[in-house]
Structures are given as structure tokens and as C-alpha cells.
Amino acid sequence: MTDFTLPSIDSAEWIAIDPQYKPYLRIKLLVNLLPFWVASLIAWWFMPPGNILSLSGVFFFSSALVTFYLWSYCVWVPKRCLRMCYLMRDLDVSLQQGYLFWSTISVSINRIQHLEVTQGPIQRSFGLAVLSIYTAGTVGSDLKIPGLTIGEAQRIKKTLLKAVNLEAPVDV
Amino acid sequence: MSDLKWHRCSPVSALYFLVKNIQASFNLWPALAGIMVVEDLRKLLFPFGVIVIFGLLIISAILSYWYFRFSFNDKRIILHSGFLHKKKLTLGFDRVQEINLEQVVYFRPFGLWTLGLESAGSAQKEIAIPGLHRTLAKEIKLLYAKQKKNIATNYEDSETRSDSGAIDESSSKKAILRIKFPELIRFGLMHNVFIYLAAIAGTLMGQSEAFRRTMFSWIESSTFVSFILDYVSHLSANIAMVVFAGIVAIAIVFIYAISIGLASIKFWDYTLYASADRYQFNAGLLKRVSKSFKLHKLQSIRVKQSIIARILRRHTLEIFQTNEYRGAQNVQSTGFIVPVLSGEKLQELLRDLKVEDGEWQYTQPIQILWGTLIYGAVLSILSIAPSWYFEWDIPAIIVFIFIAMGFVHYRYWRNTRFYLANGWVAVRRGFVGYSISYVPLIKLQKIALSSGPFLRLHNTARLHLWSGARVISIGFVPKTVLDPMRDTALDVVSNYKGRWM
């Protein structure tokens, strides 16, 4: 293996995402689970009356959804938000995330194709946005940093755009 | 941004958004299937539901048009779009790979066009600006062309000025490989999908009662087949077996003959040329195909050897450029292919392509245990129902499954290796044959190090590397090995300032 000149990203100072991401994630999960609750209500509505097996199935399914949401609310969301952080260096951008499945994702600034700041309606209500960094790679090669305030997302985007435009082409 | 002039598309572009929304709504067909089953919901859908859905699509199209604005200068184009989910997209012209104009039928009466800008991140348009008048579209195209010309001047790259993609007769090209008919026979033997399709088709058709009835009635009506069967019935059992084996052998030879024939048509007179840093192949009997690439566009190389190729001591080499692996419509493309070459020729070509050797490392053997446990458990659960139905010995089936999975994963682990050295990363996998993926570090787009609870238990992790063409990954490697590998790869990519595509 060759010696590398950049310091390891593990020793760098990572920046945590905005604290508002935690309540946003809780609301978003609730909204995502809503169609399943509605589906179980519709199933209960159209159930033939007196069908104990089907009614207990609907009850079990709804209970499982509630239990899953409570677990996510109390365990998954806080732990996920605790781990999620990003790193901006002169030459690369990295994101660390995950609760059970950890991952550290890095993209070199000279591979950035374009940048996007997106804000869904729930994110807007929390003042949050997602910075999407697109590369020239195949499926899955983009990097999305969630949990940024809209101002921070725009600032990082401007910084990255400036860095991308400053790349000096060199004859190799 | 304040000095930028913002443009709107023509109101007719609402039609474009409507068509896009209708196309997107086709993805909801599984829900539609569910609704059609329930009578009450079906009555609700027609006609009331259809009117409501179509009304929503029209409102969405009008809002999409209203909230769609774009602006551009000599360096980049900026899009604002979306009403619920707002998007602000900035694309520099230096990142645009292709720019084209299209005119759909409903734009023609109004003289409108759709401008498509494709960056290297996908095989489809990254930006589509619908409903533009030709003059505005051409203005944007001109700015893009000027920007490209500036880049060409900076890189002193003659290819950008005239990129016909071919080696012309006046350049000093050299034929480095010619594939004759005997080699094409080998290729037909190595890559024969029909033998697998025949086996699958035979099994499936054998399950079909209608097929069996049709076969029997054909057999009864065919004089020749009836004669053979009558003749065989008078033979001893051993000779009958030999005759039956002969018939199966003839069928296999026939299937392989088709495969060889198709290989010959596709790769007839295959000649590989090399000229400076460009490679080109010409091949084909009915349709002569010429495909070329420049060395700096190489994103990934794959070398394969199937079980039959191993017996024949031949290999297949494929070279992928940006997004070629995925291709259009997410269909895999074979890229630039050298269909069959000997081991010696393969090493020569890899040297020409500047692939560097490295010291192969193994992954941790603990992956044999986890693979066996996980796949064994899943297959055991799936086998319980059929075992109970057919009254098989369930414990014996489960033991057999775990033993088989143990063997399979051991074999898989033995054939899995990797290295990162001298600017290249390589990952080898296989069961009986093998496949090696080589990626130059300078072509990497994204690097990810991940670990689930099982991997963390053994202080191991998985490294994923995305190039412009493919993603390769290697798991169950100690984190102490993968961390410096990740840092090395990131350092090489970040510090590389030359052209990489």
C-alpha cells in the first residue's frame, strides 16, 4: 500500500447535524407509517362482521406498528442522530451515519458533478434541508447529507461550488 | 444570483409535465391491481376515482410548470423546481457530457423544444428544460460549446475538438489481437446461455400437464419417433440407455452449435487495434461493428473465466467506460469486449492497459460461518413447507442444507481475494470459475466503509468503491486493513488533477 498524504478522516473533527433533525425524523416516520395504519383501518372496515381471526390479525398488525414506532421514537431515532455527522475538508466531503449498520461515506471534491439543496414540506417546517452531492459514478454513488439547516446547506453548497470551480486542469 | 435573469418555459410545457406525471403514475399499478379486486373500491374508482386522479394530475402539471424556472450564464445553468418538494439544482457546463434537443409531437405546432443536459452521473438526462423556443435553446447550447472549447484548450486535448471515436487509416494503429474461427468455437462453448435456458425450460415444461399431453400426442402422431420408440422397446435395458444417452448428447451438441453459430456471427473476424492510447475492435459477420475507447476513459476492467473456459484455458475481458455497465434503461451493457484470449495474451493486454499487479489478500474465514448460518437458516425455513407436504425427513433435509451451504461458502471464501496496490484495486470472486474486477483508484467516485453488527463483532468491515462504471465491494476484512485502504484511495482520488473521463 502507498503512503498517503491526507490525514485519516477518523482523526478529523466531525460536525454534528442540527438537533432539529431528531423531531423531524420522528414526525417523518409517523407520516411514513400512516398509510399502513390507514390500510389496516380500511381492512378492518371491510372485514366481514364476526370474523375473529381476521380481526385479531388486524389488531396484531396495528399493535406491531405501534410497538415499532415507539421503539423507533425512543431508541432508533436518538441513536441514529447521535452517530450522524459530516466532515468538510479541503479536498473531500464525508458523512457518517447509521444505528445498527454503520457507514462512513466519502466523496472527493474533484468528483462532484452537481449539487442540489432540497426541502420537503416537513423539513421546511423544521428549517432543515438535504444537500445532495452527485458524482459521475454508477447507481448509488451520490452522497446526501440530511439534517442541515437551510442556511448551512446553502453555505456548504456555495463552498463546494467554489472549490469545484477552482479546480485547475493539469496536463497529465 | 441577483444578476441572473430567470426564465420561464412556455405554458404549453404543462403538457410535458402532465405526460411525465402520467408516466410516473404507472408505477402505482400494483395498488390499482389491489383496488380492482375489491368490488366496493372498484365501483368507487370508476368513474369518480378516475376523474379525481386525472384532475390531480392536471393540477400537479400546472403547478410544476408554474414553479419551474431556470437561469444560466457562461459557466452554469440553475434550475428551481417543485412546489411541495422544492429543488434548486446547479449544473456547471464543464460537468455536462452531452446536450441535445428533442421535439415531441405536441410541441411541434408551437415550435417548442426540450433541451436535455446529461452529466456523467447517470445514463438519463439530468436536466430537461421543456417548452423552449429554438433561439433560447441554441443560446444555451452555444454557451456550453464555448465552455467545452475552453476546456479543450486547457487540456490540449485534440480528441475534444474532433472526437469521431475511431482510429483512422492514417494513424499508426497496430493489430494486437485477431480472433479466428477456432477461438470463436471456444467462445461459443464458454458462454452458452441456451444450455441453462434449456434445463430451466425443460423443468418448467415438465411440470405442465398441457405440455405433457401435447408431447404425447405429437409422439403418437410422429411416424419416425414411434419407430424409434418401438425399436428401443425391443432392445435390452442397457442398449436402450445408451440410445437414450445418445439422443441427449445430440440435443446438447445442437444447443452448443447454436451458441457457436451466434458467437461467430457476432465476433466474426474480430480484430483488436491499438494506437497510442486508443483501442478499437472491428467484428461481425452480418453487421460490422466498430467500437473504440480512449485509455483515459477506462473506468473498470473485468476478467472472467467460467468452468468451461477454465477447461479450455481461455478468458474473457471487458472494459467499461462511464455508466456503460448500467447503460440505457438500466440494462446491463457488455462494454468494450475481448471475447476470448489465452492466459498469455490476457497478461499482455493487462500490461498494455497499465494494470498493476499486487499481493492478493484473503478475507476473514469467519465469513464461512456466518454465510452458512444465515443462508442455511433461510433455506431451512423455506424447505419446511415442501418437506412436510412431500413427507420428507425434515431434520435430514436441514442437516443436508447446512452441510451444502458450508461447502458453498468455503469454496466462495477460497476464491475471494483482493488487493490495493500501485494505484489499482482488484477484487476476485468465484465458485468454480472466477471473475476479477480491476478499478484504477483515480477513477473512483465514492468510497464507503460500512459495518453491520455481525461484521463489528469480529472487528471487520466492508469497503464499497464506486467508479464511473461499476461498484465493487469487499467484506469481512479487518477494519485495521480497510481504514488505511480507504484513506489511501481517498488521497489518490483527491490529489489527482488530470482527466479521468
Side-chain angles (χ1 to χ4, degrees):
Chain A
M1 255 174 258
T2 58
D3 290 334
F4 48 84
T5 56
L6 288 174
S8 171
I9 59 172
D10 289 329
S11 58
E13 273 194 44
W14 294 75
I15 305 166
I17 50 163
D18 194 85
Q20 284 293 298
Y21 188 65
K22 204 189 292 185
Y24 155 76
L25 204 56
R26 285 171 169 151
I27 301 282
K28 189 179 167 215
L29 188 63
L30 189 65
V31 167
N32 287 344
L33 288 176
L34 210 57
F36 295 98
W37 268 313
V38 168
S40 65
L41 277 175
I42 291 173
W44 172 77
W45 180 261
F46 286 101
M47 205 72 64
N51 189 333
I52 300 294
L53 203 64
S54 304
L55 282 172
S56 59
V58 168
F59 176 73
F60 174 75
F61 180 67
S62 300
S63 305
L65 280 179
V66 170
T67 310
F68 173 72
Y69 182 71
L70 285 175
W71 173 81
S72 302
Y73 189 100
C74 301
V75 178
W76 179 72
V77 167
K79 287 197 181 290
R80 185 177 169 83
C81 294
L82 195 65
R83 264 198 64 80
M84 193 174 277
C85 46
Y86 66 95
L87 175 66
M88 286 269 303
R89 300 197 298 182
D90 291 338
L91 297 180
D92 53 61
V93 184
S94 300
L95 172 74
Q96 198 170 285
Q97 62 181 2
Y99 161 46
L100 279 175
F101 295 90
W102 297 358
S103 67
T104 306
I105 307 159
S106 304
V107 167
S108 175
I109 285 174
N110 61 8
R111 292 292 176 266
I112 294 175
Q113 290 294 303
H114 63 272
L115 300 144
E116 213 175 78
V117 173
T118 52
Q119 238 188 349
I122 307 174
Q123 284 166 327
R124 253 201 310 283
S125 64
F126 285 96
L128 297 174
V130 177
L131 174 66
S132 300
I133 300 169
Y134 294 93
T135 70
T138 185
V139 175
S141 67
D142 310 319
L143 175 62
K144 291 187 195 308
I145 306 177
L148 300 170
T149 59
I150 181 69
E152 185 68 8
Q154 296 286 12
R155 185 193 68 77
I156 297 172
K157 183 183 162 187
K158 263 195 191 135
T159 309
L160 289 174
L161 267 177
K162 201 172 159 191
V164 163
N165 289 333
L166 279 174
E167 265 183 57
V170 168
D171 284 343
V172 175
Chain B
M1 288 260 288
S2 57
D3 57 347
L4 290 170
K5 184 182 169 192
W6 290 93
H7 302 267
R8 275 196 192 284
C9 309
S10 161
V12 181
S13 59
L15 269 175
Y16 169 88
F17 291 113
L18 178 63
V19 168
K20 260 185 65 173
N21 288 346
I22 293 171
Q23 284 170 343
S25 65
F26 288 153
N27 293 327
L28 297 172
W29 70 264
L32 182 67
I35 290 168
M36 296 298 278
V37 165
V38 180
E39 191 181 335
D40 291 340
L41 289 176
R42 206 165 53 234
K43 283 180 189 167
L44 206 63
L45 180 65
F46 296 103
F48 180 66
V50 170
I51 294 169
V52 166
I53 290 168
F54 202 68
L56 286 171
L57 287 173
I58 290 173
I59 292 168
S60 171
I62 293 169
L63 286 172
S64 295
Y65 149 72
W66 185 254
Y67 283 94
F68 189 95
R69 288 178 299 146
F70 65 97
S71 176
F72 56 93
N73 57 22
D74 56 347
K75 287 207 165 50
R76 66 183 68 88
I77 190 161
I78 304 159
L79 274 194
H80 286 188
S81 63
F83 51 99
L84 272 181
H85 205 89
K86 289 191 187 297
K87 270 193 192 178
K88 285 172 196 166
L89 190 142
T90 306
L91 180 61
F93 284 133
D94 56 342
R95 303 290 168 180
V96 173
Q97 294 300 300
E98 223 176 286
I99 189 166
N100 51 59
L101 282 174
E102 280 176 11
Q103 193 178 43
V104 286
V105 63
Y106 47 83
F107 277 169
R108 269 183 218 151
F110 306 95
L112 298 172
W113 297 78
T114 301
L115 182 75
L117 296 101
E118 202 179 296
S119 73
S122 76
Q124 295 177 355
K125 295 186 191 62
E126 285 290 341
I127 290 182
I129 306 176
L132 293 182
H133 286 285
R134 202 181 171 94
T135 38
L136 186 58
K138 278 196 154 178
E139 190 184 332
I140 298 171
K141 268 191 100 171
L142 200 63
L143 287 170
Y144 162 74
K146 275 187 188 162
Q147 178 73 2
K148 273 292 184 199
K149 202 175 166 188
N150 286 342
I151 294 170
T153 310
N154 287 339
Y155 278 118
E156 293 181 7
D157 179 7
S158 61
E159 182 203 348
T160 317
R161 295 191 195 110
S162 59
D163 186 5
S164 62
I167 298 175
D168 62 32
E169 293 300 318
S170 59
S171 65
S172 53
K173 67 177 180 183
K174 187 177 69 169
I176 59 172
L177 181 72
R178 277 203 162 92
I179 294 177
K180 298 289 182 194
F181 185 62
E183 290 295 307
L184 292 178
I185 293 175
R186 287 189 174 93
F187 181 76
L189 294 172
M190 281 155 57
H191 296 277
N192 185 359
V193 293
F194 296 110
I195 199 78
Y196 305 113
L197 288 175
I200 292 167
T203 310
L204 288 173
M205 285 193 283
Q207 305 297 320
S208 162
E209 183 61 38
F211 177 75
R212 281 203 292 271
R213 265 187 266 119
T214 310
M215 279 299 295
F216 282 133
S217 61
W218 176 76
I219 286 167
E220 280 164 2
S221 62
S222 169
T223 321
F224 176 70
V225 174
S226 301
F227 169 76
I228 295 288
L229 287 174
D230 192 47
Y231 176 74
V232 166
S233 66
H234 289 99
L235 300 172
S236 71
N238 290 338
I239 297 177
M241 286 278 287
V242 168
V243 170
F244 177 70
I247 293 170
V248 170
I250 289 169
I252 291 173
V253 166
F254 178 70
I255 289 169
Y256 272 103
I258 297 175
S259 176
I260 290 166
L262 290 174
S264 302
I265 290 169
K266 189 172 178 187
F267 294 114
W268 186 258
D269 193 26
Y270 180 102
T271 311
L272 178 66
Y273 297 97
S275 168
D277 62 346
R278 186 187 284 282
Y279 290 80
Q280 178 178 318
F281 79 75
N282 299 336
L285 183 63
L286 300 176
K287 185 172 95 169
R288 197 84 185 142
V289 168
S290 180
K291 196 159 186 179
S292 71
F293 79 97
K294 271 204 120 183
L295 195 56
H296 76 260
K297 285 185 182 270
L298 182 153
Q299 296 292 321
S300 170
I301 297 169
R302 183 170 66 179
V303 176
K304 295 191 298 189
Q305 188 186 52
S306 63
I307 176 171
I308 295 179
R310 195 170 171 177
I311 297 166
L312 298 170
R313 289 182 296 173
R314 292 292 185 272
H315 311 258
T316 300
L317 184 141
E318 293 170 294
I319 295 164
F320 299 98
Q321 302 177 66
T322 310
N323 284 310
E324 204 163 36
Y325 189 75
R326 193 159 58 102
Q329 310 301 325
N330 280 326
V331 172
Q332 284 187 3
S333 161
T334 52
F336 186 100
I337 185 170
V338 183
V340 53
L341 62 173
S342 63
E344 200 187 314
K345 279 282 181 194
L346 172 67
Q347 293 309 318
E348 241 177 72
L349 189 52
L350 288 175
R351 271 196 300 274
D352 280 348
L353 294 170
K354 301 185 176 35
V355 176
E356 298 282 352
D357 278 331
E359 198 185 317
W360 291 101
Q361 299 179 62
Y362 282 93
T363 58
Q364 294 291 290
I366 195 69
Q367 77 174 79
I368 302 170
L369 174 68
W370 283 111
T372 305
L373 286 176
I374 291 169
Y375 284 89
V378 168
L379 286 174
S380 297
I381 291 166
L382 291 174
S383 71
I384 286 174
S387 302
W388 172 81
Y389 181 77
F390 290 110
E391 295 176 5
W392 294 336
D393 185 357
I394 294 178
I397 296 283
I398 291 174
V399 166
F400 171 75
I401 285 171
F402 274 96
I403 292 173
M405 284 298 104
F407 171 72
V408 162
H409 283 91
Y410 169 76
R411 187 82 203 143
Y412 185 72
W413 169 77
R414 280 293 297 172
N415 282 308
T416 300
R417 280 161 239 171
F418 67 97
Y419 72 74
L420 188 148
N422 304 317
W424 286 81
V425 60
V427 175
R428 180 194 159 114
R429 291 193 206 283
F431 186 67
V432 179
Y434 76 84
S435 159
I436 303 178
S437 296
Y438 297 95
V439 176
L441 290 180
I442 57 171
K443 302 301 171 78
L444 291 177
Q445 300 295 313
K446 179 171 140 179
I447 302 163
L449 197 65
S450 65
S451 59
F454 297 142
L455 288 168
R456 279 202 299 281
L457 198 62
H458 305 286
N459 290 321
T460 57
R462 177 173 288 277
L463 184 66
H464 308 262
L465 301 165
W466 282 260
S467 73
R470 306 185 62 203
V471 53
I472 59 173
S473 73
I474 188 77
F476 280 100
V477 178
K479 204 161 179 300
T480 49
V481 171
L482 289 184
D483 277 342
M485 268 180 74
R486 185 265 318 272
D487 292 329
T488 301
L490 194 55
D491 178 58
V492 168
V493 166
S494 301
N495 284 301
Y496 182 72
K497 301 293 180 202
R499 282 201 82 179
W500 51 271
M501 62 180 283

